C-alpha cells in the first residue's frame, strides 16, 4: 500500500543553540542548556531517519521534552510564569506555507511546534509501515496505533498548549484550529481504514463493514469541509485527497449495504445501492486524476494504482451483475429511482485518539538549578537568537519506494 496516504511535509526549523551565556550561571544550568541542544538535534535527525521506530521516537522525544519542560513549568513554587519561557527565540515553518517561517520567543511555541512534527512523524511512520510487502497482523496493529497516537498528540496540543501561546496562530498556519482539526480527523479516518481492511480480510458481517465505511467517509468529508475557508493555493491538493477518499469509502458503504439488502431478499434496492456504489467509485477515479494534477505541498499519493482500490471496482461490477441476474430470474423487483438513504451506525471499530501527555520534568531540573539561571545579568551576547540571515531549510525526508502490492493492509 505504498503511496496510499497523502502526507504533507514536516515542519522545518532554524538551529537553536540554547547558549544562554551569562544567564546560565552554574554548572548544572550549563549542562541543561548543552543537553537541550543535543537532544533537539537528535530528535530532528530521527524525524527523517527511515530506520526509526516508535520506541526510538518515544525515548528521544521524552529526552527533549522533559528538559524543555524546565522552561515552561513553574519551578519556584508560585503560580507565576516560568522566568525562562521567553528567553529563547524559535523559528518554524508550516506544513502548508512553504519555507516562510514564523518566529516566537516562547518555549511553548517550541513545544507545540516540535510536538506537531512528532505527530506528523507518527503519520508518516504508519504510512511507511503500511507500504511493506506482506504486512503482518502486528504491523497492521502498529499502523493503527501510530495513527491514533498522532491524533492524540494533535488533540493534546490543541486543547492544552496552543491556547497558552501569547501570539495566536495566523490563518492557514499549522497551529490554527482549522488546520490542526483537519489533521486530527484525517488520522482518525485513516486508522479506520485499517479497521475496514481487517474486517474485509476476516469476512465480517457486511452491515458492519458498510457502517464502518460510511463513518470513515463522513470523517473524510468533515476534514474536507474544515478546510473550505482556507486559501486553495495551499489546501487544494490536500482537499482533493480528502474528497477522493470520501467518495471511495461511500462506494464501499453502498457496495456492502447492497449485499446486506440482497441477503434480506431486497434485490431491487440492492441493485440501486450498487449503482450508487458504482457512481461514487467513478467519482473517486476522477478525483484521483484531479488530485495528481493539482499542485500543492505534500507527497502525491497514488490510490488508483493500488490493488485495494482496483479490487473494489471489480467487486462492485461483479456484485451488481449478480444482483441483476438474480432479479431477472427470481425476484422480479422494481429498482427504486432514488438511492437508499444510508443510516448506518457502527457499534464497533470506531477510532478515538490515544490520549497523550508530555513527559514529566527531567530530574536534572531542581529548584537550585532553576534559581541559578540569573536573568538580571542578561545574555553576554545574542547567540541565543537566530541571526537575520539564517535560513530555514526544508527537512530532507526519505523517499518511499513502491513495493509489491498485496492488495490489503493485513496479510
Amino acid at each position: 500500500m505504498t503511496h496510499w496516504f497523502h502526507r504533507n511535509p514536516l515542519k522545518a526549523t532554524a538551529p537553536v543553540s540554547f547558549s544562554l551565556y551569562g544567564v546560565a550561571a552554574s554548572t548544572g544550568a550549563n549542562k541543561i542548556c548543552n543537553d537541550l541542544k543535543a537532544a533537539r538535534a537528535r530528535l530532528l535527525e530521527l524525524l527523517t531517519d527511515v530506520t526509526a521506530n516508535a520506541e526510538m521516537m518515544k525515548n528521544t522525544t521524552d529526552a527533549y521534552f522533559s528538559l524543555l519542560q524546565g522552561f515552561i513549568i513553574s519551578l519556584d513554587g508560585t503560580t507565576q510564569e516560568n522566568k525562562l519561557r521567553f528567553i529563547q527565540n524559535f523559528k518554524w515553518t508550516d506544513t502548508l506555507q512553504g519555507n516562510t517561517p514564523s518566529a516566537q520567543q516562547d518555549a511553548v511555541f517550541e513545544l507545540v511546534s516540535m510536538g506537531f512534527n512528532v505527530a506528523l512523524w507518527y503519520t508518516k511512520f504508519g504510512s511507511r509501515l503500511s507500504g511493506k510487502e506482506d504486512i503482518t497482523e502486528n504491523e497492521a496493529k502498529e499502523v493503527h496505533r501510530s495513527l491514533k497516537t498522532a491524533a492524540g498528540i494533535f488533540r493534546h496540543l490543541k486543547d492544552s498548549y496552543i491556547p497558552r501561546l501569547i501570539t495566536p496562530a495566523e490563518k492557514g498556519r499549522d497551529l490554527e484550529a482549522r488546520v490542526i482539526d483537519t489533521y486530527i480527523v484525517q488520522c482518525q479516518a485513516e486508522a479506520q481504514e485499517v479497521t475496514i481492511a481487517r474486517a474485509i480480510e476476516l469476512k465480517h458481517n457486511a452491515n458492519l463493514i458498510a457502517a464502518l465505511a460510511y463513518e470513515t467517509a463522513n470523517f473524510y468529508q468533515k476534514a474536507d469541509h474544515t478546510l473550505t475557508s482556507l486559501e486553495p493555493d495551499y489546501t487544494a491538493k490536500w482537499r482533493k485527497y480528502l474528497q477522493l477518499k470520501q467518495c471511495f469509502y461511500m462506494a464501499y458503504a453502498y457496495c456492502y449495504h447492497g449485499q446486506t439488502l440482497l441477503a434480506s431478499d431486497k434485490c431491487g434496492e440492492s441493485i440501486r445501492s450498487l449503482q450508487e456504489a458504482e457512481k461514487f467509485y467513478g467519482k473517486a477515479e476522477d478525483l484521483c486524476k484531479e488530485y495528481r494534477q493539482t499542485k500543492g505541498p505534500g507527497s502525491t499519493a497514488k490510490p488508483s494504482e493500488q490493488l485495494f482500490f482496483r479490487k473494489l471496482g471489480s467487486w462492485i461490477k461483479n456484485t451488481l451483475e449478480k444482483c441483476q441476474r438474480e432479479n431477472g430470474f427470481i425476484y422480479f423487483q422494481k429498482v427504486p429511482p432514488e438511492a437508499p438513504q444510508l443510516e448506518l451506525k457502527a457499534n464497533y471499530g470506531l477510532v478515538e485518539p490515544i490520549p497523550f501527555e508530555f513527559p514529566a520534568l527531567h530530574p536534572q531540573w531542581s529548584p537550585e538549578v532553576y534559581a541559578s539561571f540569573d536573568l538580571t545579568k542578561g545574555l553576554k551576547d545574542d547567540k541565543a537568537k537566530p541571526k537575520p540571515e539564517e535560513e530555514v531549510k526544508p527537512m530532507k525526508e526519505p523517499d518511499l519506494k513502491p513495493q509489491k502490492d498485496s492488495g490489503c493492509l493485513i496479510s
Side-chain angles (χ1 to χ4, degrees):
M1 297 292 285
T2 312
H3 302 306
W4 178 252
F5 300 116
H6 173 90
R7 290 292 175 260
N8 289 326
L10 289 168
K11 296 164 72 67
T13 181
V16 179
S17 67
F18 292 101
S19 300
L20 306 182
Y21 299 116
V23 170
S26 71
T27 303
N30 276 312
K31 184 176 188 317
I32 282 175
C33 290
N34 290 334
D35 287 353
L36 269 167
K37 178 183 177 181
R40 188 180 197 265
R42 172 61 185 138
L43 178 50
L44 289 171
E45 185 181 275
L46 198 66
L47 287 169
T48 58
D49 185 346
V50 75
T51 65
N53 58 38
E55 183 182 1
M56 293 164 65
M57 183 54 63
K58 186 180 188 314
N59 292 339
T60 309
T61 53
D62 283 357
Y64 180 56
F65 289 138
S66 62
L67 285 167
L68 188 64
Q69 293 277 36
F71 280 59
I72 298 169
I73 297 171
S74 180
L75 297 176
D76 56 6
T78 71
T79 57
Q80 292 183 341
E81 200 69 74
N82 187 305
K83 67 184 181 183
L84 300 174
R85 175 176 169 181
F86 304 110
I87 199 171
Q88 176 71 61
N89 203 316
F90 301 94
K91 264 187 180 183
W92 284 92
T93 63
D94 292 87
T95 56
L96 302 177
Q97 303 280 352
N99 298 326
T100 305
S102 299
Q104 290 192 37
Q105 196 151 320
D106 186 351
V108 173
F109 178 64
E110 167 71 0
L111 186 79
V112 295
S113 298
M114 188 68 85
F116 198 101
N117 244 10
V118 171
L120 286 175
W121 179 87
Y122 276 101
T123 71
K124 290 170 183 281
F125 174 67
S127 178
R128 189 163 65 245
L129 198 57
S130 72
K132 287 185 66 177
E133 187 178 347
D134 299 325
I135 184 171
T136 65
E137 183 178 333
N138 285 338
E139 286 169 335
K141 287 179 181 177
E142 184 75 0
V143 174
H144 197 245
R145 184 164 50 249
S146 295
L147 292 165
K148 292 193 295 180
T149 299
I153 296 172
F154 285 131
R155 179 173 285 180
H156 186 56
L157 296 177
K158 182 197 171 192
D159 293 346
S160 302
Y161 285 92
I162 292 174
R164 294 180 61 185
L165 290 171
I166 303 300
T167 306
E170 297 172 15
K171 180 181 177 181
R173 297 283 182 179
D174 288 336
L175 307 184
E176 199 240 351
R178 287 168 291 187
V179 175
I180 201 164
D181 279 342
T182 304
Y183 277 112
I184 293 169
V185 177
Q186 180 180 337
C187 287
Q188 290 178 275
E190 290 177 347
Q192 280 188 194
E193 290 194 56
V194 182
T195 306
I196 292 167
R198 173 72 171 170
I200 292 168
E201 199 79 11
L202 296 181
K203 296 181 170 56
H204 277 291
N205 181 281
N207 194 51
L208 172 62
I209 295 170
L212 281 171
Y214 183 60
E215 300 271 16
T216 303
N218 286 340
F219 266 141
Y220 277 118
Q221 185 178 55
K222 180 182 177 182
D224 175 47
H225 286 176
T226 305
L227 295 176
T228 52
S229 55
L230 295 177
E231 293 298 326
D233 287 352
Y234 52 81
T235 61
K237 190 176 188 68
W238 195 8
R239 288 192 62 197
K240 288 293 182 188
Y241 166 77
L242 299 171
Q243 290 163 12
L244 75 86
K245 282 294 186 77
Q246 189 246 340
C247 288
F248 180 70
Y249 282 100
M250 283 299 289
Y252 249 116
Y254 274 110
C255 178
Y256 276 86
H257 184 57
Q259 293 177 54
T260 303
L261 291 169
L262 182 61
S264 303
D265 295 325
K266 297 177 181 178
C267 194
E269 292 178 43
S270 174
I271 290 170
R272 187 63 188 86
S273 187
L274 285 154
Q275 287 172 342
E276 198 69 8
E278 201 169 46
K279 185 180 85 174
F280 272 106
Y281 185 78
K283 280 186 182 178
E285 286 184 309
D286 291 341
L287 282 163
C288 284
K289 295 172 188 172
E290 292 175 26
Y291 167 73
R292 283 197 301 270
Q293 293 164 0
T294 303
K295 293 182 179 179
S299 60
T300 300
K302 300 172 184 175
S304 60
E305 296 179 12
Q306 309 300 322
L307 193 55
F308 186 66
F309 188 98
R310 300 196 306 272
K311 267 184 176 179
L312 176 60
S314 301
W315 185 241
I316 293 169
K317 181 176 179 290
N318 294 337
T319 310
L320 177 57
E321 288 175 354
K322 174 191 171 185
C323 287
Q324 288 169 332
R325 284 195 305 272
E326 296 296 306
N327 203 41
F329 279 101
I330 302 170
Y331 295 101
F332 304 104
Q333 295 174 359
K334 284 187 177 181
V335 177
E338 298 294 327
Q341 290 295 312
L342 294 182
E343 296 176 354
L344 304 170
K345 187 71 180 173
N347 296 316
Y348 307 99
L350 293 177
V351 166
E352 280 297 321
I354 294 174
F356 175 81
E357 294 286 341
F358 283 107
L361 188 69
H362 197 283
Q364 284 188 48
W365 284 103
S366 66
E368 294 75 23
V369 169
Y370 178 72
S372 72
F373 284 89
D374 189 355
L375 268 64
T376 62
K377 293 182 179 179
L379 296 175
K380 286 186 177 178
D381 53 41
D382 63 353
K383 288 183 180 179
K385 298 181 181 181
K387 296 175 183 178
E389 66 273 14
E390 198 168 38
E391 289 186 2
V392 179
K393 297 178 181 178
M395 301 276 275
K396 291 184 179 178
E397 301 187 47
D399 290 328
L400 283 178
K401 295 180 180 178
Q403 298 188 41
K404 185 179 176 182
D405 187 5
S406 62
C408 64
L409 289 175
I410 306 159
S411 61

PDB file of all heavy atoms in Angstrom, residues 10-15 91 93 98-99 101 389-396:
ATOM      1  N   LEU A  10       7.145  17.671   6.642  1.00  0.00           N
ATOM      2  CA  LEU A  10       7.483  18.022   8.026  1.00  0.00           C
ATOM      3  C   LEU A  10       7.737  19.515   8.134  1.00  0.00           C
ATOM      4  O   LEU A  10       8.149  20.171   7.173  1.00  0.00           O
ATOM      5  CB  LEU A  10       8.734  17.263   8.470  1.00  0.00           C
ATOM      6  CG  LEU A  10       8.603  15.760   8.712  1.00  0.00           C
ATOM      7  CD1 LEU A  10       9.983  15.133   8.841  1.00  0.00           C
ATOM      8  CD2 LEU A  10       7.773  15.464   9.961  1.00  0.00           C
ATOM      9  N   LYS A  11       7.531  20.047   9.315  1.00  0.00           N
ATOM     10  CA  LYS A  11       7.895  21.433   9.597  1.00  0.00           C
ATOM     11  C   LYS A  11       9.423  21.527   9.680  1.00  0.00           C
ATOM     12  O   LYS A  11      10.072  20.623  10.205  1.00  0.00           O
ATOM     13  CB  LYS A  11       7.300  21.879  10.938  1.00  0.00           C
ATOM     14  CG  LYS A  11       5.786  21.896  10.950  1.00  0.00           C
ATOM     15  CD  LYS A  11       5.233  21.952  12.365  1.00  0.00           C
ATOM     16  CE  LYS A  11       5.435  23.306  13.016  1.00  0.00           C
ATOM     17  NZ  LYS A  11       4.629  24.356  12.366  1.00  0.00           N
ATOM     18  N   ALA A  12       9.971  22.604   9.185  1.00  0.00           N
ATOM     19  CA  ALA A  12      11.420  22.833   9.284  1.00  0.00           C
ATOM     20  C   ALA A  12      11.682  23.907  10.334  1.00  0.00           C
ATOM     21  O   ALA A  12      10.801  24.710  10.659  1.00  0.00           O
ATOM     22  CB  ALA A  12      11.983  23.262   7.931  1.00  0.00           C
ATOM     23  N   THR A  13      12.894  23.921  10.858  1.00  0.00           N
ATOM     24  CA  THR A  13      13.214  24.840  11.943  1.00  0.00           C
ATOM     25  C   THR A  13      14.653  25.319  11.848  1.00  0.00           C
ATOM     26  O   THR A  13      15.517  24.628  11.298  1.00  0.00           O
ATOM     27  CB  THR A  13      12.982  24.155  13.311  1.00  0.00           C
ATOM     28  OG1 THR A  13      13.279  25.075  14.368  1.00  0.00           O
ATOM     29  CG2 THR A  13      13.855  22.918  13.472  1.00  0.00           C
ATOM     30  N   ALA A  14      14.907  26.515  12.371  1.00  0.00           N
ATOM     31  CA  ALA A  14      16.275  27.037  12.445  1.00  0.00           C
ATOM     32  C   ALA A  14      16.998  26.381  13.620  1.00  0.00           C
ATOM     33  O   ALA A  14      16.367  25.994  14.604  1.00  0.00           O
ATOM     34  CB  ALA A  14      16.243  28.552  12.633  1.00  0.00           C
ATOM     35  N   PRO A  15      18.312  26.229  13.529  1.00  0.00           N
ATOM     36  CA  PRO A  15      19.064  25.669  14.657  1.00  0.00           C
ATOM     37  C   PRO A  15      18.896  26.520  15.917  1.00  0.00           C
ATOM     38  O   PRO A  15      18.729  27.734  15.832  1.00  0.00           O
ATOM     39  CB  PRO A  15      20.518  25.705  14.172  1.00  0.00           C
ATOM     40  CG  PRO A  15      20.434  25.822  12.692  1.00  0.00           C
ATOM     41  CD  PRO A  15      19.186  26.571  12.394  1.00  0.00           C
ATOM     42  N   LYS A  91      12.276  29.430  15.505  1.00  0.00           N
ATOM     43  CA  LYS A  91      11.744  29.637  14.154  1.00  0.00           C
ATOM     44  C   LYS A  91      11.239  28.313  13.600  1.00  0.00           C
ATOM     45  O   LYS A  91      11.965  27.313  13.614  1.00  0.00           O
ATOM     46  CB  LYS A  91      12.849  30.141  13.221  1.00  0.00           C
ATOM     47  CG  LYS A  91      12.937  31.639  13.028  1.00  0.00           C
ATOM     48  CD  LYS A  91      13.979  31.917  11.949  1.00  0.00           C
ATOM     49  CE  LYS A  91      14.130  33.406  11.696  1.00  0.00           C
ATOM     50  NZ  LYS A  91      15.085  33.658  10.593  1.00  0.00           N
ATOM     51  N   THR A  93       8.771  26.618  10.204  1.00  0.00           N
ATOM     52  CA  THR A  93       7.912  26.755   9.028  1.00  0.00           C
ATOM     53  C   THR A  93       6.591  26.026   9.307  1.00  0.00           C
ATOM     54  O   THR A  93       6.422  25.397  10.358  1.00  0.00           O
ATOM     55  CB  THR A  93       8.563  26.145   7.773  1.00  0.00           C
ATOM     56  OG1 THR A  93       8.735  24.727   7.979  1.00  0.00           O
ATOM     57  CG2 THR A  93       9.902  26.785   7.471  1.00  0.00           C
ATOM     58  N   GLY A  98       5.118  26.539   2.730  1.00  0.00           N
ATOM     59  CA  GLY A  98       6.453  26.591   2.131  1.00  0.00           C
ATOM     60  C   GLY A  98       7.536  26.847   3.167  1.00  0.00           C
ATOM     61  O   GLY A  98       7.430  26.406   4.318  1.00  0.00           O
ATOM     62  N   ASN A  99       8.583  27.583   2.763  1.00  0.00           N
ATOM     63  CA  ASN A  99       9.741  27.781   3.643  1.00  0.00           C
ATOM     64  C   ASN A  99       9.716  29.111   4.391  1.00  0.00           C
ATOM     65  O   ASN A  99      10.719  29.521   4.956  1.00  0.00           O
ATOM     66  CB  ASN A  99      11.034  27.690   2.819  1.00  0.00           C
ATOM     67  CG  ASN A  99      11.200  26.318   2.191  1.00  0.00           C
ATOM     68  OD1 ASN A  99      10.813  25.314   2.777  1.00  0.00           O
ATOM     69  ND2 ASN A  99      11.745  26.269   0.984  1.00  0.00           N
ATOM     70  N   PRO A 101       9.116  31.046   7.483  1.00  0.00           N
ATOM     71  CA  PRO A 101       8.939  30.635   8.884  1.00  0.00           C
ATOM     72  C   PRO A 101       8.151  31.645   9.718  1.00  0.00           C
ATOM     73  O   PRO A 101       8.013  32.811   9.361  1.00  0.00           O
ATOM     74  CB  PRO A 101      10.374  30.532   9.386  1.00  0.00           C
ATOM     75  CG  PRO A 101      11.104  31.585   8.608  1.00  0.00           C
ATOM     76  CD  PRO A 101      10.432  31.661   7.260  1.00  0.00           C
ATOM     77  N   GLU A 389      20.144  36.501   8.794  1.00  0.00           N
ATOM     78  CA  GLU A 389      20.383  35.840   7.512  1.00  0.00           C
ATOM     79  C   GLU A 389      20.216  34.317   7.588  1.00  0.00           C
ATOM     80  O   GLU A 389      20.345  33.620   6.594  1.00  0.00           O
ATOM     81  CB  GLU A 389      21.790  36.166   7.004  1.00  0.00           C
ATOM     82  CG  GLU A 389      22.943  35.606   7.846  1.00  0.00           C
ATOM     83  CD  GLU A 389      23.337  36.531   8.989  1.00  0.00           C
ATOM     84  OE1 GLU A 389      22.574  37.467   9.293  1.00  0.00           O
ATOM     85  OE2 GLU A 389      24.425  36.315   9.576  1.00  0.00           O
ATOM     86  N   GLU A 390      19.935  33.817   8.780  1.00  0.00           N
ATOM     87  CA  GLU A 390      19.828  32.382   8.973  1.00  0.00           C
ATOM     88  C   GLU A 390      18.602  31.834   8.230  1.00  0.00           C
ATOM     89  O   GLU A 390      17.482  32.296   8.420  1.00  0.00           O
ATOM     90  CB  GLU A 390      19.686  32.098  10.467  1.00  0.00           C
ATOM     91  CG  GLU A 390      19.994  30.680  10.862  1.00  0.00           C
ATOM     92  CD  GLU A 390      20.113  30.573  12.377  1.00  0.00           C
ATOM     93  OE1 GLU A 390      19.340  31.234  13.083  1.00  0.00           O
ATOM     94  OE2 GLU A 390      20.984  29.847  12.844  1.00  0.00           O
ATOM     95  N   GLU A 391      18.810  30.864   7.361  1.00  0.00           N
ATOM     96  CA  GLU A 391      17.720  30.309   6.572  1.00  0.00           C
ATOM     97  C   GLU A 391      17.130  29.085   7.260  1.00  0.00           C
ATOM     98  O   GLU A 391      17.800  28.398   8.020  1.00  0.00           O
ATOM     99  CB  GLU A 391      18.214  29.905   5.181  1.00  0.00           C
ATOM    100  CG  GLU A 391      18.535  31.092   4.290  1.00  0.00           C
ATOM    101  CD  GLU A 391      18.881  30.655   2.880  1.00  0.00           C
ATOM    102  OE1 GLU A 391      18.819  29.430   2.613  1.00  0.00           O
ATOM    103  OE2 GLU A 391      19.189  31.517   2.056  1.00  0.00           O
ATOM    104  N   VAL A 392      15.859  28.860   7.001  1.00  0.00           N
ATOM    105  CA  VAL A 392      15.205  27.645   7.480  1.00  0.00           C
ATOM    106  C   VAL A 392      15.076  26.711   6.293  1.00  0.00           C
ATOM    107  O   VAL A 392      14.240  26.921   5.404  1.00  0.00           O
ATOM    108  CB  VAL A 392      13.831  27.964   8.099  1.00  0.00           C
ATOM    109  CG1 VAL A 392      13.153  26.688   8.558  1.00  0.00           C
ATOM    110  CG2 VAL A 392      13.988  28.928   9.272  1.00  0.00           C
ATOM    111  N   LYS A 393      15.930  25.721   6.248  1.00  0.00           N
ATOM    112  CA  LYS A 393      15.951  24.797   5.110  1.00  0.00           C
ATOM    113  C   LYS A 393      14.931  23.680   5.316  1.00  0.00           C
ATOM    114  O   LYS A 393      14.733  23.218   6.437  1.00  0.00           O
ATOM    115  CB  LYS A 393      17.352  24.205   4.945  1.00  0.00           C
ATOM    116  CG  LYS A 393      18.409  25.257   4.626  1.00  0.00           C
ATOM    117  CD  LYS A 393      19.786  24.629   4.524  1.00  0.00           C
ATOM    118  CE  LYS A 393      20.843  25.691   4.219  1.00  0.00           C
ATOM    119  NZ  LYS A 393      22.203  25.125   4.166  1.00  0.00           N
ATOM    120  N   PRO A 394      14.288  23.227   4.243  1.00  0.00           N
ATOM    121  CA  PRO A 394      13.311  22.131   4.369  1.00  0.00           C
ATOM    122  C   PRO A 394      13.964  20.872   4.918  1.00  0.00           C
ATOM    123  O   PRO A 394      15.166  20.631   4.713  1.00  0.00           O
ATOM    124  CB  PRO A 394      12.837  21.913   2.925  1.00  0.00           C
ATOM    125  CG  PRO A 394      13.227  23.146   2.182  1.00  0.00           C
ATOM    126  CD  PRO A 394      14.436  23.692   2.860  1.00  0.00           C
ATOM    127  N   MET A 395      13.183  20.077   5.621  1.00  0.00           N
ATOM    128  CA  MET A 395      13.677  18.791   6.130  1.00  0.00           C
ATOM    129  C   MET A 395      13.844  17.831   4.944  1.00  0.00           C
ATOM    130  O   MET A 395      12.980  17.763   4.062  1.00  0.00           O
ATOM    131  CB  MET A 395      12.671  18.202   7.123  1.00  0.00           C
ATOM    132  CG  MET A 395      12.385  19.090   8.325  1.00  0.00           C
ATOM    133  SD  MET A 395      13.605  18.908   9.634  1.00  0.00           S
ATOM    134  CE  MET A 395      12.954  17.491  10.503  1.00  0.00           C
ATOM    135  N   LYS A 396      14.940  17.124   4.927  1.00  0.00           N
ATOM    136  CA  LYS A 396      15.184  16.143   3.858  1.00  0.00           C
ATOM    137  C   LYS A 396      14.536  14.820   4.254  1.00  0.00           C
ATOM    138  O   LYS A 396      15.075  14.056   5.046  1.00  0.00           O
ATOM    139  CB  LYS A 396      16.684  15.962   3.617  1.00  0.00           C
ATOM    140  CG  LYS A 396      17.341  17.184   2.988  1.00  0.00           C
ATOM    141  CD  LYS A 396      18.802  16.935   2.686  1.00  0.00           C
ATOM    142  CE  LYS A 396      19.444  18.160   2.027  1.00  0.00           C
ATOM    143  NZ  LYS A 396      20.892  17.947   1.761  1.00  0.00           N
TER     144      LYS A 396
END
